[in-house]
């Protein structure tokens, strides 16, 4: 790997000014600085504008169904746990239709990095409310305002004792890069909720709206304190903390499966006898 340009994929078809552009560039820089070459990692995504990211970055990839990125990512980790797996998803994709998979991937502690481009709207399908849309916001399909309270992904993840929970802001590239690098190198399920302006369909959460609210957690903050992390997560959103909000060091799903201790499944020969024996101890 010689240059950032080695990660170049197809030309992005996002709207000019979309918050997905800085996320893509920041991810490329993080991968470059970690020395991860295109063939050494896999990006899995579902459907949405955010989920198009692996088309725009040269890498191994699997682009699956809406809300269903985490199941193939789990399968990939079980087949080859030496291959880092990154999932790029949208707030609708991951917190809406894929919400069930999110809960169980966190609970199992699959060792994947999940980047959620949280623009608080369904971008690809042209502006319907997503689970993170602020209550009362008028959209095309909610002419009287979104009539449900918004999901708080950070408190949800801390409640599930997620191994790594962080929030970044798309336009704050240097800080976001440091969060993404830590998330990729963290052992265990790492959720990074990335606040991302949608210049076309979200007229509330704009670049200037975020600029007034987003701040960095400093080094005095202890991300290992779950109760403090939860307090921070449920604070009223007049000021929005970014950084690593919570982390712990627990066993990953892969570490709990004894046959994977020898070597990745992909490198093991197939024997029905050992497979049945393993299934017996596993279930
Ligand atoms: C099974 C299924 N349900 C619904 C859709 C329609 N659909 C595609 S993308 C999307 C929402 C996209 O929103 P989000 O995940 O927030 O991504 P964004 O486009 O905002 O980045 C929906 C509802 C679909 N393609 N497949
Ligand atoms: Mg969205």
């Amino acid at each position: 790997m010689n240059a950032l340009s080695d990660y170049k994929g197809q030309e992005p078809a996002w709207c000019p000014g979309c918050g997905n552009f800085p996320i893509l560039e920041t991810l490329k820089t993080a991968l470059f600085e970690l020395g991860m070459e295109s063939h050494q990692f896999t990006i899995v995504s579902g459907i949405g504008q955010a989920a198009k990211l692996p088309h725009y970055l040269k890498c191994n990839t699997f682009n699956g169904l809406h809300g269903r990125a985490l199941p193939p990512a789990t399968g990939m980790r079980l087949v080859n746990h030496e291959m880092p797996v990154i999932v790029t998803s949208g707030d609708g994709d991951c917190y809406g239709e894929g919400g069930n998979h999110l809960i169980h991937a966190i609970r199992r502690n699959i060792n994947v990095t999940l980047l959620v481009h949280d623009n608080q709207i369904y971008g690809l399908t042209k502006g319907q409310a997503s689970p993170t849309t602020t209550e009362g916001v008028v959209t095309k399909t909610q002419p009287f305002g979104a009539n449900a309270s918004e999901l708080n992904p950070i408190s949800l993840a801390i409640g599930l004792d997620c191994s790594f929970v962080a929030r970044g802001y798309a336009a704050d590239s240097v800080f976001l890069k440091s969060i993404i690098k830590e998330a990729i190198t963290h052992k265990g399920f790492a959720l990074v909720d990335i606040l991302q302006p949608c210049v076309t369909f979200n007229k509330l959460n704009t670049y200037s709206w975020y600029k007034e609210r987003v701040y960095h957690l400093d080094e005095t903050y202890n991300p290992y304190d779950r109760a403090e992390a939860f307090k921070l997560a449920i604070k009223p959103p007049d000021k929005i903390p970014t950084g690593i909000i919570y982390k712990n060091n627990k066993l990953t799903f892969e570490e709990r499966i004894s046959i994977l201790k020898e070597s990745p499944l992909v490198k093991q020969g197939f024997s029905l006898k050992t497979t049945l024996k393993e299934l017996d101890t596993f279930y």
Side-chain angles (χ1 to χ4, degrees):
M1 176 66 58
N2 299 315
L4 269 175
S5 55
D6 293 347
Y7 293 105
K8 191 170 165 16
Q10 296 170 35
E11 270 321 306
W14 293 319
C15 306
C18 176
N20 279 320
F21 285 103
I23 298 177
L24 173 64
E25 290 314 308
T26 303
L27 177 60
K28 282 184 191 169
T29 316
L31 291 164
F32 180 69
E33 290 182 10
L34 289 171
M36 292 166 69
E37 301 188 26
S38 284
H39 64 282
Q40 292 173 323
F41 62 94
T42 300
I43 302 188
V44 183
S45 71
I47 302 290
Q49 292 293 358
K52 291 180 186 172
L53 182 140
H55 306 186
Y56 307 147
L57 194 158
K58 191 176 158 204
C59 59
N60 300 304
T61 186
F62 183 90
N63 192 178
L65 297 173
H66 185 53
R68 307 290 185 269
L70 286 168
T74 303
M76 284 172 201
R77 289 292 304 166
L78 293 182
V79 169
N80 185 4
H81 62 275
E82 284 176 354
M83 168 73 77
V85 174
I86 298 166
V87 175
T88 55
S89 190
D91 42 315
D93 196 35
C94 186
Y95 302 144
E97 198 147 339
N100 176 28
H101 296 301
L102 174 69
I103 289 172
H104 298 291
I106 293 178
R107 189 174 65 79
R108 291 187 179 118
N109 200 23
I110 318 287
N111 192 359
V112 303
T113 305
L114 169 62
L115 307 178
V116 183
H117 304 208
D118 189 354
N119 56 8
Q120 298 170 255
I121 207 81
Y122 285 0
L124 184 78
T125 48
K126 306 207 178 333
Q128 301 85 358
S130 85
T132 52
T133 301
T134 305
E135 186 171 357
V137 165
V138 171
T139 73
K140 286 180 185 168
T141 45
Q142 285 83 17
F144 306 111
N147 55 6
S149 55
E150 55 273 15
L151 179 94
N152 180 335
I154 304 293
S155 61
L156 174 75
I158 297 168
L160 290 165
D161 201 26
C162 180
S163 186
F164 183 104
V165 185
R167 188 194 277 124
Y169 171 44
D172 189 6
S173 303
V174 175
F175 197 53
L176 178 62
K177 183 185 70 182
S178 68
I179 295 170
I180 291 178
K181 282 169 81 174
E182 284 215 41
I184 291 174
T185 48
H186 178 78
K187 183 175 72 69
F189 190 92
L191 165 67
V192 186
D193 182 74
I194 306 173
L195 304 170
Q196 178 225 333
C198 169
V199 292
T200 305
F201 296 113
N202 185 337
K203 302 296 182 195
L204 171 68
N205 311 107
T206 58
Y207 287 97
S208 53
W209 189 91
Y210 281 122
K211 201 172 174 200
E212 280 170 23
R213 291 167 176 81
V214 163
Y215 71 94
H216 294 177
L217 289 170
D218 63 24
E219 52 290 342
T220 59
Y221 177 74
N222 173 16
Y224 288 96
D225 186 333
R226 191 171 173 205
E228 280 307 310
F230 197 75
K231 274 191 215 158
L232 195 66
I234 61 170
K235 267 191 172 173
D238 49 338
K239 288 282 168 206
I240 307 175
T242 56
I244 297 159
I245 296 173
Y246 177 61
K247 62 178 166 178
N248 63 48
N249 300 314
K250 54 184 191 184
L251 283 183
T252 65
F253 194 56
E254 298 88 311
E255 285 172 330
R256 294 196 196 102
I257 299 175
S258 57
I259 199 167
L260 301 185
K261 288 201 176 94
E262 290 169 30
S263 66
L265 274 190
V266 72
K267 291 187 181 163
Q268 296 185 27
F270 178 73
S271 141
L272 193 57
K273 213 170 142 199
T274 34
T275 307
L276 291 177
K277 197 168 145 249
E278 177 66 22
L279 284 175
D280 211 33
T281 52
F282 186 51
Y283 287 107

